[in-house]
Amino acid sequence: MASTIIKKIISTSMAPRPAAPYNQAIVVDRTVYLSGVLGIDKDTGKLVEGGAIKETVMALQNIKNILAAAGSKIENVIKCTVLLNDINDFAGVNAEYVKVFTSDYPARTCYQVGKLPLGANIEIEVIAVVGDCKTEVVKDE
């Protein structure tokens, strides 16, 4: 008989509540799947002012808070997808990104999209793991 897989729905008041029918994150086994995160201030429920850079800072803080609620942390992110309203914000977003992801960077995709929810300039989604991680670097030289 197959064992039952538990799907944990993560909800934290330390990040903005979803404005549509989705959850902040889902944990299955030891993998955390975060929904796309905008630069919304959890207290006001509105996008922070100041453009893509300020939204990036807020989105990354929201991601940290959701990961913590899921029993994970930013160092355990294995895949990141960054959606930009304008690809010209790429360099500025990267400058904030490397303040949070400081080494052993996750795999990442970044691209410009037609339009983001709420008129946002950036949306970030991540996949992470729960537990202790050991990094091994494999180089084929």
Side-chain angles (χ1 to χ4, degrees):
M1 186 162 129
S3 63
T4 301
I5 296 173
I6 305 297
K7 177 175 79 171
K8 296 179 188 173
I9 296 173
I10 306 302
S11 178
T12 178
S13 62
M14 296 305 294
R17 297 277 181 214
Y22 62 88
N23 292 294
Q24 291 170 322
I26 302 284
V27 177
V28 177
D29 194 20
R30 294 178 65 189
T31 305
V32 185
Y33 302 90
L34 267 71
S35 295
V37 177
L38 302 176
I40 295 175
D41 181 307
K42 68 176 179 58
D43 296 324
T44 66
K46 298 182 190 254
L47 285 170
V48 295
E49 294 182 7
I53 307 310
K54 297 288 187 183
E55 289 178 36
T56 299
V57 171
M58 185 82 265
L60 290 168
Q61 184 59 54
N62 290 334
I63 288 168
K64 286 188 215 177
N65 292 342
I66 296 167
L67 287 170
S72 188
K73 56 189 175 182
I74 205 76
E75 294 82 7
N76 287 14
V77 172
I78 57 172
K79 175 68 169 90
C80 185
T81 302
V82 179
L83 309 173
L84 297 172
N85 185 52
D86 184 348
I87 200 68
N88 292 312
D89 291 326
F90 185 80
V93 167
N94 274 338
E96 295 304 322
Y97 184 90
V98 298
K99 292 177 184 176
V100 174
F101 296 101
T102 58
S103 64
D104 301 327
Y105 305 115
R108 186 178 91 169
T109 303
C110 181
Y111 50 92
Q112 179 175 311
V113 296
K115 191 172 183 180
L116 291 168
L118 306 177
N121 291 292
I122 185 166
E123 182 172 9
I124 304 172
E125 67 176 29
V126 302
I127 299 171
V129 294
V130 175
D132 294 328
C133 290
K134 177 183 173 188
T135 300
E136 293 181 7
V137 178
V138 178
K139 292 184 180 182
D140 182 18
E141 296 179 21

